[in-house]
Amino acid sequence: MHVEWKLFADLAEHADDRTVAVEVASGATVGEALEELLSDRPALADRVRTDGGLAGDVSVLKNGADLGGDLDDELESGDELALLPPVSGG
Amino acid sequence: MTDLALDATGLERYARHVIMDEVGPEGQKRLLDGHVVVVGAGGLGSPVVQYLAAAGVGRIGIIDDDRVERSNLQRQVIHGEGDLGRPKVESAAERVADLNPDIRVDAHETRLTAETAPDLLAGADVVVDASDNFATRYLCNDFCALEGIPLSHGAIYRFEGQATTFENDGEGPCYRCLFPDAPEPGTVPNCATTGVLGVLPGTVGTIQATEAVKYLLGVGDLLDGRLLTYDAMGLSFETVEIARNPACPVCGEDPEIESIRDVSYEGRCTVPAD
């Protein structure tokens, strides 16, 4: 099934797109959809991956809500995912 | 001002507030009795300070250790050509005095640090984070979360902005619920290196001022538990729901941060390992 990632701020620049559609198996988790996204966009992977998983400054959102880091959440067709980084400018 | 009755000048100045049921003379008195501390007198702080002053927020603290540079003037509209080289808090305070002589301004030409934060922020009804770096942002968050002071957060990046409000009433989230640690230094570039659309902080700062005024009035729905994102390119707003995170290092169930003294506000703004 299709799920779409939306990317904010510097993450969109690393991915070179504000939205990226990925194909995952039915019943896939958010973490699996994230792997699809990152394998498609290596510069983004370099930005958000750390040894322990996902960098602590990147928030994963599903349907407009923060998942609190729970990447095991199962996806349904049409779900919208997003990666949101903090920004500091003022 | 402690008397509910506004004098003739006050009635004239605040007539468009007082006439509304949602504000009225009582609401205007709440604004006049209000104390807001604005951290940063730059792009975000410019609209925040001016709108709070115009609205009649009686006491406004302004914290900034920078001086006005010509490259600021494309967006920092509280300062002008004649202010080049002056402390930002000085020109901001002058602008406030010109806008509204009712306002008491506490101008602090200093940097907010873990040492200065208790003196500079304690006693505020609302703190507005209009700063330009993660160290100050995490410090504002931690201090306000621990002390229960409402915090308006706004931040900008090139053509995008984020704004949210943490009421810090023990129920809603804080900034670390969403972003537990600051990015690795150098990961997220600042305005000086990436540039920023000049009008962008005007939009985001005006939202922050709106939230501070609404909080003081006790009206409307704040952005508590919601992060508003703004994309100036697509001219679109989106709202992200933020829940309180049980694993949050400040307001979670077993918080690692019990005092701002626990945290090293450099790098990733974490508690140093023993």
PDB file of all heavy atoms in Angstrom, chain B residues 14 18 31 42 61 75 100 120 122 125 133 161 169 181 186 200 202 204 209 229 243 247 271:
ATOM      1  N   TYR B  14      -7.460  52.259  24.451  1.00  0.00           N
ATOM      2  CA  TYR B  14      -7.864  50.846  24.391  1.00  0.00           C
ATOM      3  C   TYR B  14      -9.324  50.671  23.958  1.00  0.00           C
ATOM      4  O   TYR B  14      -9.909  49.610  24.176  1.00  0.00           O
ATOM      5  CB  TYR B  14      -7.620  50.177  25.751  1.00  0.00           C
ATOM      6  CG  TYR B  14      -6.186  50.327  26.221  1.00  0.00           C
ATOM      7  CD1 TYR B  14      -5.876  51.033  27.384  1.00  0.00           C
ATOM      8  CD2 TYR B  14      -5.129  49.781  25.482  1.00  0.00           C
ATOM      9  CE1 TYR B  14      -4.552  51.190  27.806  1.00  0.00           C
ATOM     10  CE2 TYR B  14      -3.815  49.943  25.886  1.00  0.00           C
ATOM     11  CZ  TYR B  14      -3.533  50.655  27.051  1.00  0.00           C
ATOM     12  OH  TYR B  14      -2.238  50.819  27.450  1.00  0.00           O
ATOM     13  N   VAL B  18     -11.803  47.529  24.631  1.00  0.00           N
ATOM     14  CA  VAL B  18     -12.809  47.625  25.699  1.00  0.00           C
ATOM     15  C   VAL B  18     -14.219  47.386  25.164  1.00  0.00           C
ATOM     16  O   VAL B  18     -15.070  46.810  25.846  1.00  0.00           O
ATOM     17  CB  VAL B  18     -12.689  49.012  26.396  1.00  0.00           C
ATOM     18  CG1 VAL B  18     -13.834  49.226  27.369  1.00  0.00           C
ATOM     19  CG2 VAL B  18     -11.348  49.120  27.122  1.00  0.00           C
ATOM     20  N   LEU B  31      -4.675  42.849  31.092  1.00  0.00           N
ATOM     21  CA  LEU B  31      -3.503  43.121  30.253  1.00  0.00           C
ATOM     22  C   LEU B  31      -2.584  44.131  30.944  1.00  0.00           C
ATOM     23  O   LEU B  31      -1.362  43.951  31.000  1.00  0.00           O
ATOM     24  CB  LEU B  31      -3.926  43.645  28.879  1.00  0.00           C
ATOM     25  CG  LEU B  31      -4.706  42.665  27.996  1.00  0.00           C
ATOM     26  CD1 LEU B  31      -5.144  43.353  26.695  1.00  0.00           C
ATOM     27  CD2 LEU B  31      -3.876  41.430  27.674  1.00  0.00           C
ATOM     28  N   GLY B  42      14.851  40.113  18.454  1.00  0.00           N
ATOM     29  CA  GLY B  42      15.229  40.014  17.053  1.00  0.00           C
ATOM     30  C   GLY B  42      14.002  39.936  16.160  1.00  0.00           C
ATOM     31  O   GLY B  42      13.054  40.695  16.335  1.00  0.00           O
ATOM     32  N   GLY B  61       9.343  42.399  30.060  1.00  0.00           N
ATOM     33  CA  GLY B  61      10.779  42.169  30.176  1.00  0.00           C
ATOM     34  C   GLY B  61      11.327  41.839  28.801  1.00  0.00           C
ATOM     35  O   GLY B  61      10.684  41.119  28.031  1.00  0.00           O
ATOM     36  N   ARG B  75      14.339  42.214   8.790  1.00  0.00           N
ATOM     37  CA  ARG B  75      13.232  41.523   9.474  1.00  0.00           C
ATOM     38  C   ARG B  75      12.995  42.013  10.904  1.00  0.00           C
ATOM     39  O   ARG B  75      11.915  41.812  11.446  1.00  0.00           O
ATOM     40  CB  ARG B  75      13.490  40.010   9.503  1.00  0.00           C
ATOM     41  CG  ARG B  75      14.726  39.627  10.300  1.00  0.00           C
ATOM     42  CD  ARG B  75      15.188  38.210  10.027  1.00  0.00           C
ATOM     43  NE  ARG B  75      16.347  37.870  10.846  1.00  0.00           N
ATOM     44  CZ  ARG B  75      17.584  38.306  10.627  1.00  0.00           C
ATOM     45  NH1 ARG B  75      17.834  39.097   9.609  1.00  0.00           N
ATOM     46  NH2 ARG B  75      18.571  37.961  11.418  1.00  0.00           N
ATOM     47  N   ASN B 100       3.624  53.277  23.681  1.00  0.00           N
ATOM     48  CA  ASN B 100       2.676  53.257  24.798  1.00  0.00           C
ATOM     49  C   ASN B 100       3.381  53.602  26.110  1.00  0.00           C
ATOM     50  O   ASN B 100       4.048  52.762  26.701  1.00  0.00           O
ATOM     51  CB  ASN B 100       2.042  51.865  24.896  1.00  0.00           C
ATOM     52  CG  ASN B 100       0.873  51.834  25.869  1.00  0.00           C
ATOM     53  OD1 ASN B 100       0.749  52.723  26.711  1.00  0.00           O
ATOM     54  ND2 ASN B 100       0.044  50.822  25.753  1.00  0.00           N
ATOM     55  N   LEU B 120      15.586  36.405  35.873  1.00  0.00           N
ATOM     56  CA  LEU B 120      14.989  37.109  34.736  1.00  0.00           C
ATOM     57  C   LEU B 120      13.583  36.618  34.384  1.00  0.00           C
ATOM     58  O   LEU B 120      12.781  37.377  33.846  1.00  0.00           O
ATOM     59  CB  LEU B 120      15.894  36.974  33.503  1.00  0.00           C
ATOM     60  CG  LEU B 120      17.291  37.592  33.633  1.00  0.00           C
ATOM     61  CD1 LEU B 120      18.119  37.322  32.382  1.00  0.00           C
ATOM     62  CD2 LEU B 120      17.176  39.097  33.858  1.00  0.00           C
ATOM     63  N   ALA B 122      11.484  34.419  36.560  1.00  0.00           N
ATOM     64  CA  ALA B 122      10.551  34.143  37.652  1.00  0.00           C
ATOM     65  C   ALA B 122       9.606  35.329  37.822  1.00  0.00           C
ATOM     66  O   ALA B 122      10.012  36.479  37.671  1.00  0.00           O
ATOM     67  CB  ALA B 122      11.314  33.875  38.936  1.00  0.00           C
ATOM     68  N   ASP B 125       4.032  36.233  34.079  1.00  0.00           N
ATOM     69  CA  ASP B 125       2.770  35.515  33.824  1.00  0.00           C
ATOM     70  C   ASP B 125       2.933  34.613  32.606  1.00  0.00           C
ATOM     71  O   ASP B 125       2.322  33.546  32.534  1.00  0.00           O
ATOM     72  CB  ASP B 125       1.637  36.512  33.562  1.00  0.00           C
ATOM     73  CG  ASP B 125       1.356  37.383  34.777  1.00  0.00           C
ATOM     74  OD1 ASP B 125       1.328  36.843  35.895  1.00  0.00           O
ATOM     75  OD2 ASP B 125       1.184  38.600  34.589  1.00  0.00           O
ATOM     76  N   ASN B 133      18.409  30.346  19.197  1.00  0.00           N
ATOM     77  CA  ASN B 133      19.356  29.225  19.331  1.00  0.00           C
ATOM     78  C   ASN B 133      18.757  28.167  20.257  1.00  0.00           C
ATOM     79  O   ASN B 133      17.925  28.465  21.118  1.00  0.00           O
ATOM     80  CB  ASN B 133      20.694  29.732  19.879  1.00  0.00           C
ATOM     81  CG  ASN B 133      20.551  30.319  21.259  1.00  0.00           C
ATOM     82  OD1 ASN B 133      20.631  29.603  22.252  1.00  0.00           O
ATOM     83  ND2 ASN B 133      20.307  31.625  21.359  1.00  0.00           N
ATOM     84  N   GLY B 161       7.858  28.229   9.636  1.00  0.00           N
ATOM     85  CA  GLY B 161       7.811  28.601  11.042  1.00  0.00           C
ATOM     86  C   GLY B 161       7.075  27.564  11.868  1.00  0.00           C
ATOM     87  O   GLY B 161       6.318  26.742  11.330  1.00  0.00           O
ATOM     88  N   ASP B 169       0.713  23.559  32.979  1.00  0.00           N
ATOM     89  CA  ASP B 169      -0.225  23.440  34.097  1.00  0.00           C
ATOM     90  C   ASP B 169      -0.281  22.012  34.638  1.00  0.00           C
ATOM     91  O   ASP B 169      -1.189  21.640  35.359  1.00  0.00           O
ATOM     92  CB  ASP B 169      -1.624  23.877  33.648  1.00  0.00           C
ATOM     93  CG  ASP B 169      -2.108  23.069  32.440  1.00  0.00           C
ATOM     94  OD1 ASP B 169      -1.366  22.171  31.967  1.00  0.00           O
ATOM     95  OD2 ASP B 169      -3.230  23.322  31.959  1.00  0.00           O
ATOM     96  N   ASP B 181      15.869  15.942  22.868  1.00  0.00           N
ATOM     97  CA  ASP B 181      17.205  16.549  22.889  1.00  0.00           C
ATOM     98  C   ASP B 181      17.319  17.539  21.739  1.00  0.00           C
ATOM     99  O   ASP B 181      16.676  17.388  20.710  1.00  0.00           O
ATOM    100  CB  ASP B 181      18.311  15.507  22.666  1.00  0.00           C
ATOM    101  CG  ASP B 181      18.192  14.318  23.578  1.00  0.00           C
ATOM    102  OD1 ASP B 181      17.694  14.485  24.694  1.00  0.00           O
ATOM    103  OD2 ASP B 181      18.580  13.215  23.134  1.00  0.00           O
ATOM    104  N   GLY B 186      25.426  22.115  14.667  1.00  0.00           N
ATOM    105  CA  GLY B 186      25.825  22.140  13.264  1.00  0.00           C
ATOM    106  C   GLY B 186      24.860  21.399  12.353  1.00  0.00           C
ATOM    107  O   GLY B 186      24.930  21.513  11.132  1.00  0.00           O
ATOM    108  N   LEU B 200       8.795  36.472   7.506  1.00  0.00           N
ATOM    109  CA  LEU B 200       8.420  35.234   8.206  1.00  0.00           C
ATOM    110  C   LEU B 200       8.323  35.397   9.731  1.00  0.00           C
ATOM    111  O   LEU B 200       7.317  35.019  10.326  1.00  0.00           O
ATOM    112  CB  LEU B 200       9.412  34.115   7.846  1.00  0.00           C
ATOM    113  CG  LEU B 200       9.179  32.785   8.534  1.00  0.00           C
ATOM    114  CD1 LEU B 200       7.910  32.123   8.034  1.00  0.00           C
ATOM    115  CD2 LEU B 200      10.362  31.843   8.303  1.00  0.00           C
ATOM    116  N   GLY B 202       7.681  37.958  11.293  1.00  0.00           N
ATOM    117  CA  GLY B 202       6.531  38.819  11.569  1.00  0.00           C
ATOM    118  C   GLY B 202       5.275  37.985  11.755  1.00  0.00           C
ATOM    119  O   GLY B 202       4.501  38.187  12.697  1.00  0.00           O
ATOM    120  N   VAL B 204       5.099  34.675  12.476  1.00  0.00           N
ATOM    121  CA  VAL B 204       5.195  33.744  13.614  1.00  0.00           C
ATOM    122  C   VAL B 204       5.163  34.511  14.940  1.00  0.00           C
ATOM    123  O   VAL B 204       4.477  34.119  15.891  1.00  0.00           O
ATOM    124  CB  VAL B 204       6.462  32.874  13.491  1.00  0.00           C
ATOM    125  CG1 VAL B 204       6.625  31.970  14.705  1.00  0.00           C
ATOM    126  CG2 VAL B 204       6.401  32.026  12.218  1.00  0.00           C
ATOM    127  N   ALA B 209       2.471  36.652  20.030  1.00  0.00           N
ATOM    128  CA  ALA B 209       1.859  37.759  20.773  1.00  0.00           C
ATOM    129  C   ALA B 209       0.373  37.495  20.983  1.00  0.00           C
ATOM    130  O   ALA B 209      -0.172  37.771  22.063  1.00  0.00           O
ATOM    131  CB  ALA B 209       2.070  39.070  20.016  1.00  0.00           C
ATOM    132  N   THR B 229       2.448  24.644  12.290  1.00  0.00           N
ATOM    133  CA  THR B 229       3.557  24.836  11.360  1.00  0.00           C
ATOM    134  C   THR B 229       3.069  25.725  10.229  1.00  0.00           C
ATOM    135  O   THR B 229       1.917  25.631   9.795  1.00  0.00           O
ATOM    136  CB  THR B 229       4.070  23.504  10.772  1.00  0.00           C
ATOM    137  OG1 THR B 229       3.044  22.917   9.965  1.00  0.00           O
ATOM    138  CG2 THR B 229       4.473  22.532  11.865  1.00  0.00           C
ATOM    139  N   ALA B 243       1.246  15.201  22.316  1.00  0.00           N
ATOM    140  CA  ALA B 243       0.750  14.704  23.606  1.00  0.00           C
ATOM    141  C   ALA B 243       1.880  14.775  24.626  1.00  0.00           C
ATOM    142  O   ALA B 243       3.059  14.831  24.268  1.00  0.00           O
ATOM    143  CB  ALA B 243       0.276  13.271  23.453  1.00  0.00           C
ATOM    144  N   ALA B 247       7.846   9.563  28.728  1.00  0.00           N
ATOM    145  CA  ALA B 247       9.313   9.423  28.815  1.00  0.00           C
ATOM    146  C   ALA B 247      10.023  10.780  28.736  1.00  0.00           C
ATOM    147  O   ALA B 247      11.249  10.822  28.657  1.00  0.00           O
ATOM    148  CB  ALA B 247       9.794   8.516  27.689  1.00  0.00           C
ATOM    149  N   VAL B 271      21.532  16.072  30.114  1.00  0.00           N
ATOM    150  CA  VAL B 271      22.170  15.956  31.417  1.00  0.00           C
ATOM    151  C   VAL B 271      23.513  15.248  31.207  1.00  0.00           C
ATOM    152  O   VAL B 271      23.535  14.152  30.639  1.00  0.00           O
ATOM    153  CB  VAL B 271      21.292  15.148  32.386  1.00  0.00           C
ATOM    154  CG1 VAL B 271      21.993  14.959  33.721  1.00  0.00           C
ATOM    155  CG2 VAL B 271      19.942  15.834  32.575  1.00  0.00           C
TER     156      VAL B 271
END
